[in-house]
Amino acid sequence: MGGTYKLAVIPGDGIGPEVVDAALGVLEQIGKVYGHQFVTKTLLAGGCAIEATGNPLPPETVAACRASDAVLLGAVGGDQWDDLPGDKRPEKALLGLRGQLGLYANLRPALLYKELQEACPLKPEIIGEGLDLLVVRELTGGIYFGPKGRRTTEKMGEEAFDTEVYSEAEVERIARIAFTIARNRRRQVTSVDKANILESSRLWRAVVTRVAADYPEVKLNHLYVDNASMQLVRDPKQFDVILTTNMFGDILSDEASMITGSIGMLPSASLAHGNFGLYEPVHGSAPDLAGQDRANPIATILSVAMMLRYSFALPQEAAAIEQAVQQVLAKGYRTGDLMNPGKTLVGTAQMGKLISGYIQ
Ligand code: IPM
Ligand code: MG
């Protein structure tokens, strides 16, 4: 017997609506094949919400997300809102959702499909058999959420500040997520910090080391973030789970995504306590591609797979999506970001339909 699941859908701005449409088509196919019902409710957030309501994150959107089992988000932002003050910008919607929904654990798997090896910018001898790592990014703390502001100084003019703050409890809960996941992978956690400089990183490192003692089967090492960013392109195969702060995870996950051929391939899950989560591609709203049916919907489609796995406990359905993606790539279909000679160029909608077609 299939189940009924309530899904809040936030298409957002730029290519967001197109990639979300493609992903919902795939979800509908899953519903048909496996007998589930996905009840969706479309909500405003980001630039489109600013235009419609003056607020990047209307309270009704947050309330409707809370009343759902999971949230699927496309992307927010665009040039036309770039000059707005920080708390009125579309990006505020994302941070507001993460904070207000308690989505503290951000999982960003970077997987290089063997079909896409030619799209990987690293030399074949560096990549070897492929790449499969997971960035576990703390998502509701650190410098993105710490005290910030501006003040006028006497001699130096205006001054601005942002503050990196981490508590023991915040570090411990994200560390436990990373170690728990690592147990079912290659049992290796690399914690990334800047403990040679930052006090918050020294606390981070101490807490992670303490938590590691509860997971003796998992190997822990620590890297400074500058070294980690270098190691990612020098020898990415050394990584299994990368556990890191909000800002370092933001940066390192973009870097890791490019190794997989295109940022258009990377899904993410942002999890709260329990099963609730928000699922979105790692890429942004790509205004230059918007409305042209050119964006790669695979990151969003794979985000739906993560949703099925983490929020709805439907691992078989999740695997069906992941296999369908692989089959379509194996057949040589590519969106523009992944295009190489000899492959077949398809648009956003067509890519979604092709993937749906392999779910039977
Ligand atoms: C991401 C994005 C966001 C972030 C922005 C758009 C607020 O870059 O999800 O990685 O910095 O977290
Ligand atoms: Mg980012």
Side-chain angles (χ1 to χ4, degrees), residues 9-14 17 42-53 55-58 60-62 65 71-77 81 89-94 96-97 278:
V9 178
I10 303 178
D13 310 313
T42 306
L43 305 165
L44 286 175
C48 56
I50 297 175
E51 300 307 319
T53 73
N55 182 351
L57 185 58
E60 308 83 70
T61 294
V62 179
C65 288
V71 184
L72 178 67
L73 187 143
V76 298
W81 304 290
R89 289 175 61 104
E91 289 80 359
K92 182 72 193 172
L94 266 186
L97 281 167
L278 178 148

PDB file of all heavy atoms in Angstrom, residues 9-14 17 42-53 55-58 60-62 65 71-77 81 89-94 96-97 278:
ATOM      1  N   VAL A   9       6.055  23.202  -1.835  1.00  0.00           N
ATOM      2  CA  VAL A   9       6.908  23.426  -3.005  1.00  0.00           C
ATOM      3  C   VAL A   9       7.191  24.916  -3.153  1.00  0.00           C
ATOM      4  O   VAL A   9       6.263  25.724  -3.234  1.00  0.00           O
ATOM      5  CB  VAL A   9       6.232  22.887  -4.288  1.00  0.00           C
ATOM      6  CG1 VAL A   9       7.099  23.160  -5.501  1.00  0.00           C
ATOM      7  CG2 VAL A   9       5.961  21.391  -4.160  1.00  0.00           C
ATOM      8  N   ILE A  10       8.469  25.276  -3.169  1.00  0.00           N
ATOM      9  CA  ILE A  10       8.874  26.674  -3.327  1.00  0.00           C
ATOM     10  C   ILE A  10       9.718  26.783  -4.594  1.00  0.00           C
ATOM     11  O   ILE A  10      10.922  26.558  -4.559  1.00  0.00           O
ATOM     12  CB  ILE A  10       9.682  27.155  -2.099  1.00  0.00           C
ATOM     13  CG1 ILE A  10       8.863  26.960  -0.827  1.00  0.00           C
ATOM     14  CG2 ILE A  10      10.100  28.613  -2.277  1.00  0.00           C
ATOM     15  CD1 ILE A  10       9.585  27.355   0.457  1.00  0.00           C
ATOM     16  N   PRO A  11       9.093  27.111  -5.735  1.00  0.00           N
ATOM     17  CA  PRO A  11       9.864  27.174  -6.986  1.00  0.00           C
ATOM     18  C   PRO A  11      10.907  28.290  -6.959  1.00  0.00           C
ATOM     19  O   PRO A  11      12.008  28.121  -7.461  1.00  0.00           O
ATOM     20  CB  PRO A  11       8.793  27.427  -8.051  1.00  0.00           C
ATOM     21  CG  PRO A  11       7.493  27.037  -7.408  1.00  0.00           C
ATOM     22  CD  PRO A  11       7.655  27.325  -5.945  1.00  0.00           C
ATOM     23  N   GLY A  12      10.550  29.466  -6.403  1.00  0.00           N
ATOM     24  CA  GLY A  12      11.504  30.569  -6.283  1.00  0.00           C
ATOM     25  C   GLY A  12      11.716  31.326  -7.573  1.00  0.00           C
ATOM     26  O   GLY A  12      10.775  31.558  -8.337  1.00  0.00           O
ATOM     27  N   ASP A  13      12.962  31.700  -7.837  1.00  0.00           N
ATOM     28  CA  ASP A  13      13.304  32.623  -8.924  1.00  0.00           C
ATOM     29  C   ASP A  13      14.193  31.961  -9.981  1.00  0.00           C
ATOM     30  O   ASP A  13      14.705  30.868  -9.779  1.00  0.00           O
ATOM     31  CB  ASP A  13      14.061  33.827  -8.351  1.00  0.00           C
ATOM     32  CG  ASP A  13      13.353  34.435  -7.157  1.00  0.00           C
ATOM     33  OD1 ASP A  13      12.126  34.647  -7.251  1.00  0.00           O
ATOM     34  OD2 ASP A  13      14.013  34.674  -6.124  1.00  0.00           O
ATOM     35  N   GLY A  14      14.425  32.703 -11.059  1.00  0.00           N
ATOM     36  CA  GLY A  14      15.372  32.258 -12.094  1.00  0.00           C
ATOM     37  C   GLY A  14      14.967  30.913 -12.658  1.00  0.00           C
ATOM     38  O   GLY A  14      13.820  30.693 -13.044  1.00  0.00           O
ATOM     39  N   PRO A  17      11.704  27.649 -11.000  1.00  0.00           N
ATOM     40  CA  PRO A  17      10.439  27.039 -11.428  1.00  0.00           C
ATOM     41  C   PRO A  17      10.618  25.925 -12.465  1.00  0.00           C
ATOM     42  O   PRO A  17       9.921  24.912 -12.424  1.00  0.00           O
ATOM     43  CB  PRO A  17       9.659  28.227 -12.013  1.00  0.00           C
ATOM     44  CG  PRO A  17      10.222  29.428 -11.309  1.00  0.00           C
ATOM     45  CD  PRO A  17      11.681  29.115 -11.072  1.00  0.00           C
ATOM     46  N   THR A  42       2.043  24.955  -3.493  1.00  0.00           N
ATOM     47  CA  THR A  42       3.075  25.850  -4.023  1.00  0.00           C
ATOM     48  C   THR A  42       3.113  27.151  -3.228  1.00  0.00           C
ATOM     49  O   THR A  42       2.076  27.767  -2.979  1.00  0.00           O
ATOM     50  CB  THR A  42       2.803  26.138  -5.510  1.00  0.00           C
ATOM     51  OG1 THR A  42       2.686  24.886  -6.173  1.00  0.00           O
ATOM     52  CG2 THR A  42       3.931  26.929  -6.141  1.00  0.00           C
ATOM     53  N   LEU A  43       4.321  27.561  -2.837  1.00  0.00           N
ATOM     54  CA  LEU A  43       4.476  28.711  -1.941  1.00  0.00           C
ATOM     55  C   LEU A  43       5.483  29.713  -2.488  1.00  0.00           C
ATOM     56  O   LEU A  43       6.352  29.363  -3.275  1.00  0.00           O
ATOM     57  CB  LEU A  43       4.967  28.219  -0.572  1.00  0.00           C
ATOM     58  CG  LEU A  43       4.116  27.134   0.091  1.00  0.00           C
ATOM     59  CD1 LEU A  43       4.888  26.482   1.225  1.00  0.00           C
ATOM     60  CD2 LEU A  43       2.816  27.734   0.597  1.00  0.00           C
ATOM     61  N   LEU A  44       5.363  30.940  -2.011  1.00  0.00           N
ATOM     62  CA  LEU A  44       6.258  32.016  -2.443  1.00  0.00           C
ATOM     63  C   LEU A  44       7.422  32.195  -1.480  1.00  0.00           C
ATOM     64  O   LEU A  44       7.231  32.212  -0.261  1.00  0.00           O
ATOM     65  CB  LEU A  44       5.483  33.343  -2.474  1.00  0.00           C
ATOM     66  CG  LEU A  44       4.480  33.578  -3.593  1.00  0.00           C
ATOM     67  CD1 LEU A  44       3.756  34.897  -3.333  1.00  0.00           C
ATOM     68  CD2 LEU A  44       5.164  33.588  -4.953  1.00  0.00           C
ATOM     69  N   ALA A  45       8.609  32.360  -2.021  1.00  0.00           N
ATOM     70  CA  ALA A  45       9.759  32.798  -1.229  1.00  0.00           C
ATOM     71  C   ALA A  45      10.802  33.343  -2.185  1.00  0.00           C
ATOM     72  O   ALA A  45      10.859  32.939  -3.349  1.00  0.00           O
ATOM     73  CB  ALA A  45      10.344  31.653  -0.404  1.00  0.00           C
ATOM     74  N   GLY A  46      11.613  34.284  -1.706  1.00  0.00           N
ATOM     75  CA  GLY A  46      12.662  34.867  -2.535  1.00  0.00           C
ATOM     76  C   GLY A  46      12.183  36.106  -3.265  1.00  0.00           C
ATOM     77  O   GLY A  46      11.273  36.814  -2.807  1.00  0.00           O
ATOM     78  N   GLY A  47      12.783  36.360  -4.441  1.00  0.00           N
ATOM     79  CA  GLY A  47      12.465  37.566  -5.197  1.00  0.00           C
ATOM     80  C   GLY A  47      11.000  37.648  -5.597  1.00  0.00           C
ATOM     81  O   GLY A  47      10.375  38.708  -5.508  1.00  0.00           O
ATOM     82  N   CYS A  48      10.424  36.522  -6.012  1.00  0.00           N
ATOM     83  CA  CYS A  48       9.010  36.539  -6.423  1.00  0.00           C
ATOM     84  C   CYS A  48       8.115  36.904  -5.243  1.00  0.00           C
ATOM     85  O   CYS A  48       7.076  37.558  -5.414  1.00  0.00           O
ATOM     86  CB  CYS A  48       8.607  35.202  -7.038  1.00  0.00           C
ATOM     87  SG  CYS A  48       8.894  33.794  -5.964  1.00  0.00           S
ATOM     88  N   ALA A  49       8.532  36.527  -4.038  1.00  0.00           N
ATOM     89  CA  ALA A  49       7.749  36.883  -2.849  1.00  0.00           C
ATOM     90  C   ALA A  49       7.900  38.371  -2.530  1.00  0.00           C
ATOM     91  O   ALA A  49       6.953  39.023  -2.071  1.00  0.00           O
ATOM     92  CB  ALA A  49       8.184  36.040  -1.647  1.00  0.00           C
ATOM     93  N   ILE A  50       9.090  38.930  -2.801  1.00  0.00           N
ATOM     94  CA  ILE A  50       9.295  40.377  -2.614  1.00  0.00           C
ATOM     95  C   ILE A  50       8.349  41.135  -3.536  1.00  0.00           C
ATOM     96  O   ILE A  50       7.678  42.080  -3.132  1.00  0.00           O
ATOM     97  CB  ILE A  50      10.762  40.760  -2.917  1.00  0.00           C
ATOM     98  CG1 ILE A  50      11.705  40.070  -1.924  1.00  0.00           C
ATOM     99  CG2 ILE A  50      10.946  42.275  -2.881  1.00  0.00           C
ATOM    100  CD1 ILE A  50      13.186  40.297  -2.213  1.00  0.00           C
ATOM    101  N   GLU A  51       8.287  40.686  -4.811  1.00  0.00           N
ATOM    102  CA  GLU A  51       7.405  41.353  -5.774  1.00  0.00           C
ATOM    103  C   GLU A  51       5.941  41.247  -5.351  1.00  0.00           C
ATOM    104  O   GLU A  51       5.187  42.205  -5.450  1.00  0.00           O
ATOM    105  CB  GLU A  51       7.566  40.747  -7.178  1.00  0.00           C
ATOM    106  CG  GLU A  51       8.969  40.852  -7.758  1.00  0.00           C
ATOM    107  CD  GLU A  51       9.518  42.278  -7.752  1.00  0.00           C
ATOM    108  OE1 GLU A  51       8.748  43.205  -8.056  1.00  0.00           O
ATOM    109  OE2 GLU A  51      10.709  42.454  -7.418  1.00  0.00           O
ATOM    110  N   ALA A  52       5.526  40.094  -4.886  1.00  0.00           N
ATOM    111  CA  ALA A  52       4.101  39.862  -4.594  1.00  0.00           C
ATOM    112  C   ALA A  52       3.691  40.417  -3.239  1.00  0.00           C
ATOM    113  O   ALA A  52       2.547  40.852  -3.063  1.00  0.00           O
ATOM    114  CB  ALA A  52       3.798  38.370  -4.663  1.00  0.00           C
ATOM    115  N   THR A  53       4.588  40.410  -2.257  1.00  0.00           N
ATOM    116  CA  THR A  53       4.175  40.759  -0.885  1.00  0.00           C
ATOM    117  C   THR A  53       5.081  41.772  -0.206  1.00  0.00           C
ATOM    118  O   THR A  53       4.785  42.216   0.899  1.00  0.00           O
ATOM    119  CB  THR A  53       4.166  39.499   0.014  1.00  0.00           C
ATOM    120  OG1 THR A  53       5.535  39.126   0.280  1.00  0.00           O
ATOM    121  CG2 THR A  53       3.457  38.326  -0.632  1.00  0.00           C
ATOM    122  N   ASN A  55       7.903  40.980   1.020  1.00  0.00           N
ATOM    123  CA  ASN A  55       8.661  40.248   2.037  1.00  0.00           C
ATOM    124  C   ASN A  55       9.258  38.992   1.391  1.00  0.00           C
ATOM    125  O   ASN A  55       8.530  38.210   0.801  1.00  0.00           O
ATOM    126  CB  ASN A  55       7.681  39.868   3.165  1.00  0.00           C
ATOM    127  CG  ASN A  55       8.349  39.137   4.316  1.00  0.00           C
ATOM    128  OD1 ASN A  55       9.517  38.749   4.229  1.00  0.00           O
ATOM    129  ND2 ASN A  55       7.601  38.941   5.384  1.00  0.00           N
ATOM    130  N   PRO A  56      10.605  38.803   1.494  1.00  0.00           N
ATOM    131  CA  PRO A  56      11.178  37.615   0.838  1.00  0.00           C
ATOM    132  C   PRO A  56      10.685  36.289   1.439  1.00  0.00           C
ATOM    133  O   PRO A  56      10.697  35.268   0.755  1.00  0.00           O
ATOM    134  CB  PRO A  56      12.692  37.782   1.056  1.00  0.00           C
ATOM    135  CG  PRO A  56      12.849  38.777   2.152  1.00  0.00           C
ATOM    136  CD  PRO A  56      11.635  39.654   2.113  1.00  0.00           C
ATOM    137  N   LEU A  57      10.264  36.340   2.687  1.00  0.00           N
ATOM    138  CA  LEU A  57       9.772  35.106   3.305  1.00  0.00           C
ATOM    139  C   LEU A  57       8.470  35.384   4.056  1.00  0.00           C
ATOM    140  O   LEU A  57       8.454  35.614   5.259  1.00  0.00           O
ATOM    141  CB  LEU A  57      10.828  34.535   4.274  1.00  0.00           C
ATOM    142  CG  LEU A  57      10.482  33.184   4.908  1.00  0.00           C
ATOM    143  CD1 LEU A  57      10.245  32.115   3.852  1.00  0.00           C
ATOM    144  CD2 LEU A  57      11.580  32.754   5.872  1.00  0.00           C
ATOM    145  N   PRO A  58       7.340  35.360   3.323  1.00  0.00           N
ATOM    146  CA  PRO A  58       6.045  35.641   3.970  1.00  0.00           C
ATOM    147  C   PRO A  58       5.778  34.623   5.081  1.00  0.00           C
ATOM    148  O   PRO A  58       6.080  33.433   4.913  1.00  0.00           O
ATOM    149  CB  PRO A  58       5.030  35.478   2.832  1.00  0.00           C
ATOM    150  CG  PRO A  58       5.830  35.558   1.565  1.00  0.00           C
ATOM    151  CD  PRO A  58       7.193  35.065   1.893  1.00  0.00           C
ATOM    152  N   GLU A  60       3.158  33.180   5.895  1.00  0.00           N
ATOM    153  CA  GLU A  60       2.296  32.058   5.453  1.00  0.00           C
ATOM    154  C   GLU A  60       3.140  30.931   4.864  1.00  0.00           C
ATOM    155  O   GLU A  60       2.768  29.749   4.959  1.00  0.00           O
ATOM    156  CB  GLU A  60       1.294  32.496   4.375  1.00  0.00           C
ATOM    157  CG  GLU A  60       0.453  33.712   4.689  1.00  0.00           C
ATOM    158  CD  GLU A  60       1.180  35.012   4.393  1.00  0.00           C
ATOM    159  OE1 GLU A  60       1.391  35.317   3.196  1.00  0.00           O
ATOM    160  OE2 GLU A  60       1.553  35.733   5.345  1.00  0.00           O
ATOM    161  N   THR A  61       4.245  31.308   4.221  1.00  0.00           N
ATOM    162  CA  THR A  61       5.111  30.286   3.624  1.00  0.00           C
ATOM    163  C   THR A  61       5.718  29.409   4.722  1.00  0.00           C
ATOM    164  O   THR A  61       5.715  28.183   4.629  1.00  0.00           O
ATOM    165  CB  THR A  61       6.217  30.954   2.776  1.00  0.00           C
ATOM    166  OG1 THR A  61       5.599  31.591   1.670  1.00  0.00           O
ATOM    167  CG2 THR A  61       7.225  29.939   2.268  1.00  0.00           C
ATOM    168  N   VAL A  62       6.213  30.060   5.774  1.00  0.00           N
ATOM    169  CA  VAL A  62       6.816  29.300   6.873  1.00  0.00           C
ATOM    170  C   VAL A  62       5.755  28.406   7.526  1.00  0.00           C
ATOM    171  O   VAL A  62       6.002  27.221   7.794  1.00  0.00           O
ATOM    172  CB  VAL A  62       7.433  30.254   7.927  1.00  0.00           C
ATOM    173  CG1 VAL A  62       8.044  29.462   9.073  1.00  0.00           C
ATOM    174  CG2 VAL A  62       8.489  31.145   7.274  1.00  0.00           C
ATOM    175  N   CYS A  65       5.032  25.425   5.352  1.00  0.00           N
ATOM    176  CA  CYS A  65       6.143  24.453   5.409  1.00  0.00           C
ATOM    177  C   CYS A  65       6.025  23.621   6.679  1.00  0.00           C
ATOM    178  O   CYS A  65       6.192  22.401   6.661  1.00  0.00           O
ATOM    179  CB  CYS A  65       7.489  25.166   5.381  1.00  0.00           C
ATOM    180  SG  CYS A  65       7.902  25.878   3.780  1.00  0.00           S
ATOM    181  N   VAL A  71       9.839  19.918   2.335  1.00  0.00           N
ATOM    182  CA  VAL A  71       9.814  21.089   1.464  1.00  0.00           C
ATOM    183  C   VAL A  71      10.750  20.843   0.278  1.00  0.00           C
ATOM    184  O   VAL A  71      11.869  20.359   0.464  1.00  0.00           O
ATOM    185  CB  VAL A  71      10.302  22.358   2.206  1.00  0.00           C
ATOM    186  CG1 VAL A  71      10.170  23.592   1.318  1.00  0.00           C
ATOM    187  CG2 VAL A  71       9.547  22.555   3.522  1.00  0.00           C
ATOM    188  N   LEU A  72      10.270  21.176  -0.932  1.00  0.00           N
ATOM    189  CA  LEU A  72      11.133  21.128  -2.116  1.00  0.00           C
ATOM    190  C   LEU A  72      11.319  22.559  -2.602  1.00  0.00           C
ATOM    191  O   LEU A  72      10.338  23.276  -2.821  1.00  0.00           O
ATOM    192  CB  LEU A  72      10.489  20.282  -3.222  1.00  0.00           C
ATOM    193  CG  LEU A  72      11.278  20.208  -4.532  1.00  0.00           C
ATOM    194  CD1 LEU A  72      12.583  19.446  -4.340  1.00  0.00           C
ATOM    195  CD2 LEU A  72      10.442  19.553  -5.633  1.00  0.00           C
ATOM    196  N   LEU A  73      12.577  22.975  -2.743  1.00  0.00           N
ATOM    197  CA  LEU A  73      12.854  24.361  -3.132  1.00  0.00           C
ATOM    198  C   LEU A  73      13.719  24.402  -4.390  1.00  0.00           C
ATOM    199  O   LEU A  73      14.636  23.592  -4.532  1.00  0.00           O
ATOM    200  CB  LEU A  73      13.546  25.068  -1.960  1.00  0.00           C
ATOM    201  CG  LEU A  73      13.784  26.572  -2.085  1.00  0.00           C
ATOM    202  CD1 LEU A  73      13.577  27.247  -0.722  1.00  0.00           C
ATOM    203  CD2 LEU A  73      15.191  26.896  -2.587  1.00  0.00           C
ATOM    204  N   GLY A  74      13.408  25.334  -5.288  1.00  0.00           N
ATOM    205  CA  GLY A  74      14.207  25.485  -6.512  1.00  0.00           C
ATOM    206  C   GLY A  74      15.438  26.335  -6.245  1.00  0.00           C
ATOM    207  O   GLY A  74      16.512  25.834  -5.930  1.00  0.00           O
ATOM    208  N   ALA A  75      15.294  27.641  -6.331  1.00  0.00           N
ATOM    209  CA  ALA A  75      16.405  28.561  -6.053  1.00  0.00           C
ATOM    210  C   ALA A  75      15.811  29.945  -5.859  1.00  0.00           C
ATOM    211  O   ALA A  75      14.721  30.228  -6.350  1.00  0.00           O
ATOM    212  CB  ALA A  75      17.384  28.567  -7.221  1.00  0.00           C
ATOM    213  N   VAL A  76      16.535  30.805  -5.151  1.00  0.00           N
ATOM    214  CA  VAL A  76      16.063  32.183  -4.989  1.00  0.00           C
ATOM    215  C   VAL A  76      17.170  33.165  -5.377  1.00  0.00           C
ATOM    216  O   VAL A  76      18.343  32.845  -5.323  1.00  0.00           O
ATOM    217  CB  VAL A  76      15.602  32.481  -3.535  1.00  0.00           C
ATOM    218  CG1 VAL A  76      14.433  31.594  -3.151  1.00  0.00           C
ATOM    219  CG2 VAL A  76      16.753  32.344  -2.544  1.00  0.00           C
ATOM    220  N   GLY A  77      16.757  34.362  -5.774  1.00  0.00           N
ATOM    221  CA  GLY A  77      17.715  35.432  -6.049  1.00  0.00           C
ATOM    222  C   GLY A  77      17.754  35.836  -7.503  1.00  0.00           C
ATOM    223  O   GLY A  77      17.267  35.134  -8.388  1.00  0.00           O
ATOM    224  N   TRP A  81      17.353  42.210  -7.497  1.00  0.00           N
ATOM    225  CA  TRP A  81      17.181  42.423  -6.054  1.00  0.00           C
ATOM    226  C   TRP A  81      18.521  42.595  -5.329  1.00  0.00           C
ATOM    227  O   TRP A  81      18.585  42.622  -4.112  1.00  0.00           O
ATOM    228  CB  TRP A  81      16.393  41.252  -5.434  1.00  0.00           C
ATOM    229  CG  TRP A  81      15.077  41.045  -6.109  1.00  0.00           C
ATOM    230  CD1 TRP A  81      13.985  41.883  -6.042  1.00  0.00           C
ATOM    231  CD2 TRP A  81      14.696  39.959  -6.961  1.00  0.00           C
ATOM    232  NE1 TRP A  81      12.959  41.385  -6.814  1.00  0.00           N
ATOM    233  CE2 TRP A  81      13.367  40.193  -7.390  1.00  0.00           C
ATOM    234  CE3 TRP A  81      15.343  38.812  -7.419  1.00  0.00           C
ATOM    235  CZ2 TRP A  81      12.678  39.332  -8.235  1.00  0.00           C
ATOM    236  CZ3 TRP A  81      14.664  37.945  -8.263  1.00  0.00           C
ATOM    237  CH2 TRP A  81      13.354  38.209  -8.659  1.00  0.00           C
ATOM    238  N   ARG A  89      16.746  41.010   1.122  1.00  0.00           N
ATOM    239  CA  ARG A  89      17.171  40.300  -0.088  1.00  0.00           C
ATOM    240  C   ARG A  89      16.516  38.918  -0.196  1.00  0.00           C
ATOM    241  O   ARG A  89      16.144  38.323   0.811  1.00  0.00           O
ATOM    242  CB  ARG A  89      18.695  40.099  -0.077  1.00  0.00           C
ATOM    243  CG  ARG A  89      19.510  41.351  -0.293  1.00  0.00           C
ATOM    244  CD  ARG A  89      20.975  40.998  -0.131  1.00  0.00           C
ATOM    245  NE  ARG A  89      21.378  39.992  -1.113  1.00  0.00           N
ATOM    246  CZ  ARG A  89      22.098  40.251  -2.199  1.00  0.00           C
ATOM    247  NH1 ARG A  89      22.500  41.475  -2.431  1.00  0.00           N
ATOM    248  NH2 ARG A  89      22.425  39.289  -3.032  1.00  0.00           N
ATOM    249  N   PRO A  90      16.394  38.389  -1.416  1.00  0.00           N
ATOM    250  CA  PRO A  90      15.814  37.049  -1.593  1.00  0.00           C
ATOM    251  C   PRO A  90      16.520  35.977  -0.760  1.00  0.00           C
ATOM    252  O   PRO A  90      15.875  35.066  -0.226  1.00  0.00           O
ATOM    253  CB  PRO A  90      16.010  36.769  -3.083  1.00  0.00           C
ATOM    254  CG  PRO A  90      16.159  38.096  -3.737  1.00  0.00           C
ATOM    255  CD  PRO A  90      16.748  39.011  -2.714  1.00  0.00           C
ATOM    256  N   GLU A  91      17.859  36.080  -0.647  1.00  0.00           N
ATOM    257  CA  GLU A  91      18.627  35.072   0.095  1.00  0.00           C
ATOM    258  C   GLU A  91      18.192  34.990   1.557  1.00  0.00           C
ATOM    259  O   GLU A  91      18.375  33.967   2.218  1.00  0.00           O
ATOM    260  CB  GLU A  91      20.132  35.375   0.034  1.00  0.00           C
ATOM    261  CG  GLU A  91      20.757  35.150  -1.330  1.00  0.00           C
ATOM    262  CD  GLU A  91      20.520  36.297  -2.317  1.00  0.00           C
ATOM    263  OE1 GLU A  91      19.848  37.290  -1.947  1.00  0.00           O
ATOM    264  OE2 GLU A  91      21.002  36.196  -3.458  1.00  0.00           O
ATOM    265  N   LYS A  92      17.625  36.093   2.044  1.00  0.00           N
ATOM    266  CA  LYS A  92      17.138  36.110   3.423  1.00  0.00           C
ATOM    267  C   LYS A  92      16.068  35.022   3.623  1.00  0.00           C
ATOM    268  O   LYS A  92      15.894  34.483   4.709  1.00  0.00           O
ATOM    269  CB  LYS A  92      16.575  37.508   3.725  1.00  0.00           C
ATOM    270  CG  LYS A  92      16.071  37.711   5.115  1.00  0.00           C
ATOM    271  CD  LYS A  92      17.221  37.779   6.107  1.00  0.00           C
ATOM    272  CE  LYS A  92      16.660  37.651   7.515  1.00  0.00           C
ATOM    273  NZ  LYS A  92      17.675  37.518   8.528  1.00  0.00           N
ATOM    274  N   ALA A  93      15.346  34.731   2.531  1.00  0.00           N
ATOM    275  CA  ALA A  93      14.304  33.703   2.608  1.00  0.00           C
ATOM    276  C   ALA A  93      14.914  32.344   2.946  1.00  0.00           C
ATOM    277  O   ALA A  93      14.381  31.585   3.759  1.00  0.00           O
ATOM    278  CB  ALA A  93      13.542  33.616   1.284  1.00  0.00           C
ATOM    279  N   LEU A  94      16.045  32.056   2.310  1.00  0.00           N
ATOM    280  CA  LEU A  94      16.700  30.764   2.564  1.00  0.00           C
ATOM    281  C   LEU A  94      17.185  30.672   4.001  1.00  0.00           C
ATOM    282  O   LEU A  94      16.952  29.674   4.693  1.00  0.00           O
ATOM    283  CB  LEU A  94      17.919  30.623   1.656  1.00  0.00           C
ATOM    284  CG  LEU A  94      17.754  29.904   0.343  1.00  0.00           C
ATOM    285  CD1 LEU A  94      19.121  29.746  -0.315  1.00  0.00           C
ATOM    286  CD2 LEU A  94      17.119  28.535   0.560  1.00  0.00           C
ATOM    287  N   GLY A  96      16.156  32.413   6.486  1.00  0.00           N
ATOM    288  CA  GLY A  96      14.987  32.436   7.367  1.00  0.00           C
ATOM    289  C   GLY A  96      14.354  31.053   7.461  1.00  0.00           C
ATOM    290  O   GLY A  96      13.995  30.588   8.554  1.00  0.00           O
ATOM    291  N   LEU A  97      14.211  30.381   6.321  1.00  0.00           N
ATOM    292  CA  LEU A  97      13.632  29.033   6.332  1.00  0.00           C
ATOM    293  C   LEU A  97      14.507  28.085   7.149  1.00  0.00           C
ATOM    294  O   LEU A  97      14.020  27.331   7.990  1.00  0.00           O
ATOM    295  CB  LEU A  97      13.507  28.488   4.903  1.00  0.00           C
ATOM    296  CG  LEU A  97      12.326  28.999   4.082  1.00  0.00           C
ATOM    297  CD1 LEU A  97      12.497  28.628   2.606  1.00  0.00           C
ATOM    298  CD2 LEU A  97      11.003  28.447   4.620  1.00  0.00           C
ATOM    299  N   LEU A 278      14.203  20.035   4.174  1.00  0.00           N
ATOM    300  CA  LEU A 278      14.039  20.854   2.983  1.00  0.00           C
ATOM    301  C   LEU A 278      15.068  20.374   1.964  1.00  0.00           C
ATOM    302  O   LEU A 278      16.232  20.169   2.300  1.00  0.00           O
ATOM    303  CB  LEU A 278      14.252  22.330   3.328  1.00  0.00           C
ATOM    304  CG  LEU A 278      14.163  23.342   2.185  1.00  0.00           C
ATOM    305  CD1 LEU A 278      13.608  24.669   2.717  1.00  0.00           C
ATOM    306  CD2 LEU A 278      15.516  23.607   1.521  1.00  0.00           C
TER     307      LEU A 278
END
